[in-house]
Amino acid sequence: MRESAAPSAQGAAPGDQHVIGIDFGTLSGRAIVVRVADGAELGTAVHEYANAVIDDRLPATGERLAPEWALQEPNDWLEVLRRAVPAAVRDSGIDPATVIGVGTDFTASTPMPVTDDGTPLCRVDGLGGRPHAYPKLWKHHAAQAQADRINALAAERGEPWLARYGGAISSEWEFAKALQILEEDPEVYARIDKWVEAADWIVWQLTGTYVRNACTAGYKGILQDGAYPSREYLAALNPGFADFERKLDATIGQLGDSAGTLSDAAAALMGLPAGIAVAVGNVDAHVTAPAAKATAPGDMLAIMGTSTCHVMSSETLTEVPGMCGVVDGGIVAGLWGYEAGQSGVGDILAWYVANQVPPAIHEEARAAGRSVHEHLTELAWAEPVGAHGLVALDWHNGNRSVLVDASLSGLLVGTTIATRPEEVYRALVEATAFGTRVIVEAFGASGVPVERFFAAGGLLKNRRLMQTYADVLGMPISVIGSEQGPALGSAIHAAVAAGAYPDAVVAGDAMGNVVHEAYVPGPDAAPYDALYREYRELHDLFGRGGSDVMRRLKAIRREARAAAPAAAPQPQEATA
Amino acid sequence: MRESAAPSAQGAAPGDQHVIGIDFGTLSGRAIVVRVADGAELGTAVHEYANAVIDDRLPATGERLAPEWALQEPNDWLEVLRRAVPAAVRDSGIDPATVIGVGTDFTASTPMPVTDDGTPLCRVDGLGGRPHAYPKLWKHHAAQAQADRINALAAERGEPWLARYGGAISSEWEFAKALQILEEDPEVYARIDKWVEAADWIVWQLTGTYVRNACTAGYKGILQDGAYPSREYLAALNPGFADFERKLDATIGQLGDSAGTLSDAAAALMGLPAGIAVAVGNVDAHVTAPAAKATAPGDMLAIMGTSTCHVMSSETLTEVPGMCGVVDGGIVAGLWGYEAGQSGVGDILAWYVANQVPPAIHEEARAAGRSVHEHLTELAWAEPVGAHGLVALDWHNGNRSVLVDASLSGLLVGTTIATRPEEVYRALVEATAFGTRVIVEAFGASGVPVERFFAAGGLLKNRRLMQTYADVLGMPISVIGSEQGPALGSAIHAAVAAGAYPDAVVAGDAMGNVVHEAYVPGPDAAPYDALYREYRELHDLFGRGGSDVMRRLKAIRREARAAAPAAAPQPQEATA
């Protein structure tokens, strides 16, 4: 299926060459047009998925999905190619003939069942009404029971790959989600030829060939040192799961490599030249590292949004407690890529604003012409550090890194009847900063110190928050200069795949965009040190067994809800 | 000054006899007219104090008061006599000549400096501009430094009375407040002839003689086994404090006794017959026990409002950890009266509604035509026990009983981004119920078991809350049938003082008003047991030294505010 190159653009001067980066998010896809020479972002367009996240009813049948389910519709992704790419090209005003490559990134892990020719099972006759035939979005959390068994059995058998994931395989990843299909809809499972990350499926649609990217294969597919978990281990999980590897097996592509060239069909769909390079698939967080010029060993990049993902490359392979994973070439080819994360950051703040902020604050914010977040920030940071007398734990979504325990929960201590809403907001922001420091310290203690700290993502717009992070970390923070980090990162990988640069590091240096040391620790660093010690005490008390209150409360909550079926729909509704 | 009795009413049939109860609260005074025979409440009137609580500026000079100060104006109390009593009599339609006695109760400890003839120092020429010449309301908390020294020295010297107060004398009480005057305005201190509880000063105004009531003398004045703290102890606190006892010394009156008869002047002021009995002064919480018929040994009465005060009589003298005090005849003459308390209950809920409830809930409540408290209650109790997955500690105002530690603070654990505002509200209500259970269990473990539980106060109107208390305690709750418990209790004591009944117990049986076992434990009692265990674990963890995070946060808070003087006015402003 390899197409011939389009000579006109390939032969043009670098200043006239362009690449397309396409970022497939949770609710929409964005295409940008970037100049190869310097990374200038010349045009952009967004397409919202018609079906967004399918977590209530299956559109094809109206069937009710169980709690924790989250599916997507592959056609929504194809619409991004058909609509957003040409719109971005039009927005940029460039000649499509000057485009030399396409790069993509995707949410992960978002795996899907397909046939050998890449047809999603939900498009196969007779299977459109089966929920398990659809792609399972990253936030599909209904395979927790499978994940628990995967982890317990791996620990019991001493599986060597478990430590590469900080001791826990997530219910969001490929194995747990596939095992859920096997156990809940074996007929669909039997029809799966390939269990493919959406990140790779979309590249398959562009090139006509299936190349599995090293990033998701490693972080989400448990591919370590060239091997998947053993047949014996899988059979012990479930005899029917023994040959699961057959559904995963594929050529592995390194990040920045070309997965192939743009097919005639895909070129026609997007209005681009056929035959140009298409980069190997990638993940939204990891692809951002070169866009922020954060690719040197010891450069930690935090992508700060509803949750925060930390990625860092290193020459050293080690085990960091609770890391999400370490993968050879997981961020840039040739280095070990570490990933860690905080499962609640922006969404804790959003929860607080939606649920715990009184009318007066909303009215003041409106009168002042700013958002409630901005208003709370203005009020709260007028006080000196610690004047609120509060410390919070940022575990409202559990703890993903260091402790790796989804049964942990949020905590707030120090409230009095003089505590004001903005003070709690600040305590929550500080808790997320303390959570980041715990991760940075865990890397340092494990022999892979964080040398420089970079940040990208939606939370950059809160400057007080960013300064607090710098003060709490005691490190300067460099921030990405682009508002479309993942799409720019995809464009950079497109340029590498097209041969314009030798690798993503060099391409990132030329095309990335960073403001170095935009925030440096100030006089608040010392008082935050004192508050951080309180956070650490609570962290260890509730996270390391000093008190199991949080875990027992989750159990009490589950039992209470199970005893009241009217309040909580039963899972079997969706798995029948 | 003893007046002759008014023979017409004293000789009338009991069905025609009436008494007046006057309840002096924090912001207003209330008079009620009660029939002696059966306690029927025939008329009532309220007078709001013109100066309310003086905690910002001294009205006489405009001088700014320091934080934590709270004074009152004695004339405001006299206005209650002049206005509310005649208005209540008019409201009742009774003939004033049928009134045989007057009883009063007051906030406590509200001590005031007076001359030998009972003139408040703030009325003495040249002293009207001195803040320390005014009565110090119970909620004056600026003598904490003195209280800390009182406690430390007493512990060091092994003073025998300290255990009678659960190991801690409050900054609200007579000794700490007097010592503050000595140390901040020695000239005013030197002018004090008597340091009098407002509860006794008002009776002095009614009768013309000073009788010190056994209740405040014991609970607030450290009078134990007939003696005050020793001269040596006082001298060690401050040499100038050595003869403080001289300012306290007075005839002790037992509760229910007559302190004297109504003077001509007071009779004229109120439009009542001169010469009728005036009961010994009393305290709002303690006076309520006979009004709720909760006077038998082992009857615990909780007066549930912004805070909760627990009073219980017993034949046994023992030491209950963290009790506020045990006093001979402190509730009813002849029994040991125990007092305990929760420093935050209704005010925690009020704080939550004012600071942590979003606009949508306010709007829904308005649309449903109910208060925000009612609406949150309706929403929250639709779920089974424990379904919120939360536990709170109710220490937003510190912990007054069992732990006796003002440096403790509020805590909430178990929050997720699915936590709803009403769920937190319910967790706070439950926390206050758990706090009550801790106190009840401490009494039981100390050999003075709570046999029956009674409740009075403003929180009775929340029926869900009351049922929760019954479920959490695992005990039936009997509730007072009057909405004016303290005023009814004062009227009962007036009837005893007038000789209509032999004692307050018998009078309470005839005139009190209770709904026995209005709430009984239901099916939620067992699941609340599980949640209570979590509360206990957190209680002991943060309250008994497992973690000192709360105490350190208060210290951090103090230092942060001290370093930012603009944000916190300095105490010396008011004590110059």
Side-chain angles (χ1 to χ4, degrees), chain B residues 308-361:
Chain B
T308 291
C309 181
H310 309 82
V311 294
M312 184 177 98
S313 291
S314 174
E315 288 160 348
T316 308
L317 171 63
T318 185
E319 289 163 16
V320 182
M323 64 184 169
C324 300
V326 54
V327 168
D328 188 6
I331 302 164
V332 295
L335 290 172
W336 289 97
Y338 289 84
E339 182 186 340
Q342 292 175 262
S343 43
V345 181
D347 58 0
I348 296 177
L349 304 178
W351 164 79
Y352 184 74
V353 165
N355 288 279
Q356 300 275 265
V357 174
I361 297 283

Side-chain angles (χ1 to χ4, degrees), chain A residues 351 410 415 534 537 547 552, chain B residues 351 410 415 419 534 537 547 552:
Chain A
W351 163 80
T415 37
E534 305 306 325
E537 176 165 320
S547 169
R552 288 195 302 267
Chain B
W351 164 79
T415 38
T419 299
E534 305 306 326
E537 175 164 321
S547 168
R552 287 194 303 268

Side-chain angles (χ1 to χ4, degrees), chain A residues 215 219 283-290 294-296 298-303 308-313 325 330-331 336-341 443 450 452 454:
Chain A
C215 176
Y219 288 113
V283 175
D284 44 14
H286 305 67
V287 80
T288 306
T295 50
D299 286 353
M300 176 173 274
L301 169 66
I303 297 93
T308 291
C309 181
H310 310 82
V311 295
M312 183 177 97
S313 291
I331 302 165
W336 289 97
Y338 289 84
E339 184 187 339
F443 274 76
V450 176
R452 300 192 301 173
F454 294 74

Side-chain angles (χ1 to χ4, degrees), chain B residues 6-63:
Chain B
S8 64
Q10 291 284 0
D16 298 332
Q17 291 178 336
H18 301 97
V19 280
I20 308 286
I22 316 176
D23 166 46
F24 291 88
T26 298
L27 296 171
S28 64
R30 168 182 300 272
I32 65 171
V33 177
V34 175
R35 189 158 58 208
V36 170
D38 61 0
E41 299 171 22
L42 305 176
T44 184
V46 174
H47 175 73
E48 311 275 339
Y49 305 149
N51 297 284
V53 176
I54 301 170
D55 55 6
D56 183 23
R57 293 176 184 278
L58 197 69
T61 60
E63 179 188 345

